[in-house]
Each structure stands twice: as C-alpha cells, then as structure tokens.
Amino acid sequence: MKRRGWILLGVIAAVAAGFGGLQLVRGADGVGSGSGVDGGGATEVATAERGTVRVTVDGSGSLAPLREVPVSTKSGGRVTEVLVEEGDVVRAGDVLARLDATDAQSALEQAQLQVRQA
C-alpha cells in the first residue's frame, strides 16, 4: 500500500475506535448509564412539550420624555374635564381639557349689556 492509503486506514480506524468508545460510555440505548464522561449519577430523560415561556424582568431607572412642551390656555378657568390620559400621543390643535365657562359666559353677558346701554 502506498503512504496515502495507510494514512486513510489510520484515520478510519481512529474514528471507528472513537465511535465504539462513545457507545460503551453512553450505553446501548444511547442514554447515559451513569458512568459517563460528566461524572454524574443517573441521567434524567424528559419529553419535550410545546408551551408558552413566561419571563418577567424587573428593573429600575429614570425616564425622560422625548420632548417637553408647555401647555397654556387663552383664558383662565377651572378645568372641568380632561380628555387625554398620561402617555397619549397628541398633536398641535388637539383639545386636551375643557374649562368651566361660567366666568367667561358672565363676562360676555356683561360686555353685551354694556354695548346695548351705550
């Protein structure tokens, strides 16, 4: 045999010996016999099942808004209704809250009365 043939035969023999040794360690059924390489005792076998994995992550830190915008009204008054909740996305011109119109209505009626009397 040529040199290349001897090398190939040696590689095949090494692979076969390794496979045979692995079978002896794992046992005939392919499950560890307890005297395997990991040094552990009995090996536990389980059947895989399909299911949902639920993970909870706790953390702490500080949050910062992307942008802060001052909100003001054209007239003062008491807020009677808030139309948005914290975290809602709003755009310019959206109505965020309603004010009590009683004072404004009284001022308007008084101004109209003064115009009629003039």
Side-chain angles (χ1 to χ4, degrees), residues 66-85:
L66 294 175
R67 182 176 53 190
E68 288 187 28
V69 179
V71 176
S72 61
T73 61
K74 293 180 181 177
S75 63
R78 183 175 175 193
V79 175
T80 59
E81 184 179 11
V82 177
L83 304 174
V84 294
E85 293 182 13

PDB file of all heavy atoms in Angstrom, residues 66-85:
ATOM      1  N   LEU A  66     -39.245  62.505  25.245  1.00  0.00           N
ATOM      2  CA  LEU A  66     -38.550  62.903  24.024  1.00  0.00           C
ATOM      3  C   LEU A  66     -38.533  64.420  23.888  1.00  0.00           C
ATOM      4  O   LEU A  66     -37.560  65.008  23.433  1.00  0.00           O
ATOM      5  CB  LEU A  66     -39.238  62.289  22.792  1.00  0.00           C
ATOM      6  CG  LEU A  66     -39.172  60.771  22.685  1.00  0.00           C
ATOM      7  CD1 LEU A  66     -39.994  60.308  21.484  1.00  0.00           C
ATOM      8  CD2 LEU A  66     -37.744  60.309  22.548  1.00  0.00           C
ATOM      9  N   ARG A  67     -39.648  65.031  24.297  1.00  0.00           N
ATOM     10  CA  ARG A  67     -39.752  66.488  24.175  1.00  0.00           C
ATOM     11  C   ARG A  67     -40.760  66.998  25.194  1.00  0.00           C
ATOM     12  O   ARG A  67     -41.772  66.369  25.428  1.00  0.00           O
ATOM     13  CB  ARG A  67     -40.223  66.821  22.759  1.00  0.00           C
ATOM     14  CG  ARG A  67     -40.327  68.285  22.466  1.00  0.00           C
ATOM     15  CD  ARG A  67     -40.692  68.542  21.029  1.00  0.00           C
ATOM     16  NE  ARG A  67     -41.893  67.795  20.687  1.00  0.00           N
ATOM     17  CZ  ARG A  67     -42.351  67.670  19.458  1.00  0.00           C
ATOM     18  NH1 ARG A  67     -41.718  68.214  18.466  1.00  0.00           N
ATOM     19  NH2 ARG A  67     -43.449  66.989  19.212  1.00  0.00           N
ATOM     20  N   GLU A  68     -40.464  68.129  25.811  1.00  0.00           N
ATOM     21  CA  GLU A  68     -41.391  68.770  26.736  1.00  0.00           C
ATOM     22  C   GLU A  68     -41.962  70.009  26.071  1.00  0.00           C
ATOM     23  O   GLU A  68     -41.239  70.757  25.411  1.00  0.00           O
ATOM     24  CB  GLU A  68     -40.678  69.175  28.026  1.00  0.00           C
ATOM     25  CG  GLU A  68     -40.324  67.998  28.901  1.00  0.00           C
ATOM     26  CD  GLU A  68     -39.778  68.439  30.235  1.00  0.00           C
ATOM     27  OE1 GLU A  68     -40.135  69.540  30.716  1.00  0.00           O
ATOM     28  OE2 GLU A  68     -38.988  67.672  30.805  1.00  0.00           O
ATOM     29  N   VAL A  69     -43.271  70.205  26.233  1.00  0.00           N
ATOM     30  CA  VAL A  69     -43.945  71.342  25.621  1.00  0.00           C
ATOM     31  C   VAL A  69     -44.818  72.002  26.682  1.00  0.00           C
ATOM     32  O   VAL A  69     -45.617  71.325  27.325  1.00  0.00           O
ATOM     33  CB  VAL A  69     -44.825  70.884  24.433  1.00  0.00           C
ATOM     34  CG1 VAL A  69     -45.550  72.053  23.810  1.00  0.00           C
ATOM     35  CG2 VAL A  69     -43.994  70.160  23.394  1.00  0.00           C
ATOM     36  N   PRO A  70     -44.693  73.321  26.866  1.00  0.00           N
ATOM     37  CA  PRO A  70     -45.578  73.997  27.819  1.00  0.00           C
ATOM     38  C   PRO A  70     -47.006  74.068  27.270  1.00  0.00           C
ATOM     39  O   PRO A  70     -47.210  74.263  26.073  1.00  0.00           O
ATOM     40  CB  PRO A  70     -44.967  75.394  27.955  1.00  0.00           C
ATOM     41  CG  PRO A  70     -44.171  75.588  26.709  1.00  0.00           C
ATOM     42  CD  PRO A  70     -43.722  74.236  26.273  1.00  0.00           C
ATOM     43  N   VAL A  71     -47.974  73.863  28.144  1.00  0.00           N
ATOM     44  CA  VAL A  71     -49.383  73.917  27.748  1.00  0.00           C
ATOM     45  C   VAL A  71     -50.014  75.095  28.475  1.00  0.00           C
ATOM     46  O   VAL A  71     -49.872  75.242  29.683  1.00  0.00           O
ATOM     47  CB  VAL A  71     -50.104  72.602  28.129  1.00  0.00           C
ATOM     48  CG1 VAL A  71     -51.585  72.690  27.802  1.00  0.00           C
ATOM     49  CG2 VAL A  71     -49.458  71.425  27.423  1.00  0.00           C
ATOM     50  N   SER A  72     -50.719  75.938  27.725  1.00  0.00           N
ATOM     51  CA  SER A  72     -51.390  77.085  28.337  1.00  0.00           C
ATOM     52  C   SER A  72     -52.732  77.309  27.642  1.00  0.00           C
ATOM     53  O   SER A  72     -52.972  76.800  26.559  1.00  0.00           O
ATOM     54  CB  SER A  72     -50.522  78.336  28.219  1.00  0.00           C
ATOM     55  OG  SER A  72     -50.305  78.643  26.856  1.00  0.00           O
ATOM     56  N   THR A  73     -53.586  78.068  28.318  1.00  0.00           N
ATOM     57  CA  THR A  73     -54.899  78.375  27.751  1.00  0.00           C
ATOM     58  C   THR A  73     -54.954  79.846  27.386  1.00  0.00           C
ATOM     59  O   THR A  73     -54.176  80.662  27.889  1.00  0.00           O
ATOM     60  CB  THR A  73     -56.007  78.072  28.772  1.00  0.00           C
ATOM     61  OG1 THR A  73     -55.807  78.901  29.914  1.00  0.00           O
ATOM     62  CG2 THR A  73     -55.994  76.618  29.183  1.00  0.00           C
ATOM     63  N   LYS A  74     -55.897  80.182  26.512  1.00  0.00           N
ATOM     64  CA  LYS A  74     -56.070  81.586  26.119  1.00  0.00           C
ATOM     65  C   LYS A  74     -56.802  82.367  27.215  1.00  0.00           C
ATOM     66  O   LYS A  74     -56.697  83.576  27.297  1.00  0.00           O
ATOM     67  CB  LYS A  74     -56.845  81.670  24.804  1.00  0.00           C
ATOM     68  CG  LYS A  74     -56.060  81.112  23.646  1.00  0.00           C
ATOM     69  CD  LYS A  74     -56.834  81.210  22.352  1.00  0.00           C
ATOM     70  CE  LYS A  74     -56.017  80.616  21.212  1.00  0.00           C
ATOM     71  NZ  LYS A  74     -56.745  80.616  19.953  1.00  0.00           N
ATOM     72  N   SER A  75     -57.542  81.648  28.042  1.00  0.00           N
ATOM     73  CA  SER A  75     -58.227  82.287  29.162  1.00  0.00           C
ATOM     74  C   SER A  75     -58.110  81.380  30.378  1.00  0.00           C
ATOM     75  O   SER A  75     -57.947  80.172  30.245  1.00  0.00           O
ATOM     76  CB  SER A  75     -59.703  82.527  28.818  1.00  0.00           C
ATOM     77  OG  SER A  75     -60.350  81.299  28.603  1.00  0.00           O
ATOM     78  N   GLY A  76     -58.221  81.974  31.544  1.00  0.00           N
ATOM     79  CA  GLY A  76     -58.128  81.204  32.770  1.00  0.00           C
ATOM     80  C   GLY A  76     -59.452  80.555  33.105  1.00  0.00           C
ATOM     81  O   GLY A  76     -60.493  80.900  32.543  1.00  0.00           O
ATOM     82  N   GLY A  77     -59.424  79.633  34.011  1.00  0.00           N
ATOM     83  CA  GLY A  77     -60.660  78.999  34.437  1.00  0.00           C
ATOM     84  C   GLY A  77     -60.365  77.678  35.115  1.00  0.00           C
ATOM     85  O   GLY A  77     -59.238  77.209  35.162  1.00  0.00           O
ATOM     86  N   ARG A  78     -61.424  77.095  35.620  1.00  0.00           N
ATOM     87  CA  ARG A  78     -61.313  75.812  36.307  1.00  0.00           C
ATOM     88  C   ARG A  78     -61.483  74.680  35.291  1.00  0.00           C
ATOM     89  O   ARG A  78     -62.384  74.707  34.457  1.00  0.00           O
ATOM     90  CB  ARG A  78     -62.394  75.747  37.359  1.00  0.00           C
ATOM     91  CG  ARG A  78     -62.345  74.520  38.161  1.00  0.00           C
ATOM     92  CD  ARG A  78     -63.373  74.568  39.268  1.00  0.00           C
ATOM     93  NE  ARG A  78     -63.341  73.271  39.931  1.00  0.00           N
ATOM     94  CZ  ARG A  78     -64.253  72.873  40.761  1.00  0.00           C
ATOM     95  NH1 ARG A  78     -65.260  73.656  41.056  1.00  0.00           N
ATOM     96  NH2 ARG A  78     -64.161  71.688  41.320  1.00  0.00           N
ATOM     97  N   VAL A  79     -60.617  73.669  35.378  1.00  0.00           N
ATOM     98  CA  VAL A  79     -60.696  72.517  34.477  1.00  0.00           C
ATOM     99  C   VAL A  79     -61.857  71.642  34.923  1.00  0.00           C
ATOM    100  O   VAL A  79     -61.927  71.211  36.079  1.00  0.00           O
ATOM    101  CB  VAL A  79     -59.376  71.706  34.482  1.00  0.00           C
ATOM    102  CG1 VAL A  79     -59.509  70.456  33.641  1.00  0.00           C
ATOM    103  CG2 VAL A  79     -58.222  72.560  34.000  1.00  0.00           C
ATOM    104  N   THR A  80     -62.781  71.373  33.997  1.00  0.00           N
ATOM    105  CA  THR A  80     -63.943  70.537  34.315  1.00  0.00           C
ATOM    106  C   THR A  80     -63.816  69.123  33.738  1.00  0.00           C
ATOM    107  O   THR A  80     -64.454  68.205  34.236  1.00  0.00           O
ATOM    108  CB  THR A  80     -65.236  71.162  33.765  1.00  0.00           C
ATOM    109  OG1 THR A  80     -65.129  71.315  32.352  1.00  0.00           O
ATOM    110  CG2 THR A  80     -65.511  72.493  34.417  1.00  0.00           C
ATOM    111  N   GLU A  81     -63.006  68.973  32.695  1.00  0.00           N
ATOM    112  CA  GLU A  81     -62.887  67.661  32.055  1.00  0.00           C
ATOM    113  C   GLU A  81     -61.522  67.547  31.386  1.00  0.00           C
ATOM    114  O   GLU A  81     -61.093  68.468  30.690  1.00  0.00           O
ATOM    115  CB  GLU A  81     -64.000  67.514  31.007  1.00  0.00           C
ATOM    116  CG  GLU A  81     -64.047  66.177  30.331  1.00  0.00           C
ATOM    117  CD  GLU A  81     -65.194  66.096  29.308  1.00  0.00           C
ATOM    118  OE1 GLU A  81     -65.809  67.123  28.988  1.00  0.00           O
ATOM    119  OE2 GLU A  81     -65.424  64.985  28.833  1.00  0.00           O
ATOM    120  N   VAL A  82     -60.851  66.439  31.605  1.00  0.00           N
ATOM    121  CA  VAL A  82     -59.574  66.158  30.944  1.00  0.00           C
ATOM    122  C   VAL A  82     -59.855  65.082  29.896  1.00  0.00           C
ATOM    123  O   VAL A  82     -60.384  64.018  30.209  1.00  0.00           O
ATOM    124  CB  VAL A  82     -58.503  65.688  31.944  1.00  0.00           C
ATOM    125  CG1 VAL A  82     -57.208  65.341  31.228  1.00  0.00           C
ATOM    126  CG2 VAL A  82     -58.256  66.750  33.001  1.00  0.00           C
ATOM    127  N   LEU A  83     -59.506  65.362  28.642  1.00  0.00           N
ATOM    128  CA  LEU A  83     -59.862  64.477  27.530  1.00  0.00           C
ATOM    129  C   LEU A  83     -58.759  63.516  27.109  1.00  0.00           C
ATOM    130  O   LEU A  83     -58.972  62.695  26.222  1.00  0.00           O
ATOM    131  CB  LEU A  83     -60.278  65.337  26.328  1.00  0.00           C
ATOM    132  CG  LEU A  83     -61.421  66.320  26.603  1.00  0.00           C
ATOM    133  CD1 LEU A  83     -61.652  67.224  25.410  1.00  0.00           C
ATOM    134  CD2 LEU A  83     -62.686  65.574  26.970  1.00  0.00           C
ATOM    135  N   VAL A  84     -57.589  63.609  27.713  1.00  0.00           N
ATOM    136  CA  VAL A  84     -56.479  62.713  27.370  1.00  0.00           C
ATOM    137  C   VAL A  84     -55.955  62.062  28.639  1.00  0.00           C
ATOM    138  O   VAL A  84     -56.218  62.522  29.750  1.00  0.00           O
ATOM    139  CB  VAL A  84     -55.329  63.470  26.660  1.00  0.00           C
ATOM    140  CG1 VAL A  84     -55.772  63.989  25.307  1.00  0.00           C
ATOM    141  CG2 VAL A  84     -54.793  64.586  27.514  1.00  0.00           C
ATOM    142  N   GLU A  85     -55.229  60.971  28.444  1.00  0.00           N
ATOM    143  CA  GLU A  85     -54.602  60.293  29.580  1.00  0.00           C
ATOM    144  C   GLU A  85     -53.093  60.375  29.433  1.00  0.00           C
ATOM    145  O   GLU A  85     -52.571  60.608  28.341  1.00  0.00           O
ATOM    146  CB  GLU A  85     -55.034  58.824  29.611  1.00  0.00           C
ATOM    147  CG  GLU A  85     -56.505  58.643  29.912  1.00  0.00           C
ATOM    148  CD  GLU A  85     -56.892  57.179  29.982  1.00  0.00           C
ATOM    149  OE1 GLU A  85     -55.993  56.326  30.050  1.00  0.00           O
ATOM    150  OE2 GLU A  85     -58.096  56.907  29.981  1.00  0.00           O
TER     151      GLU A  85
END
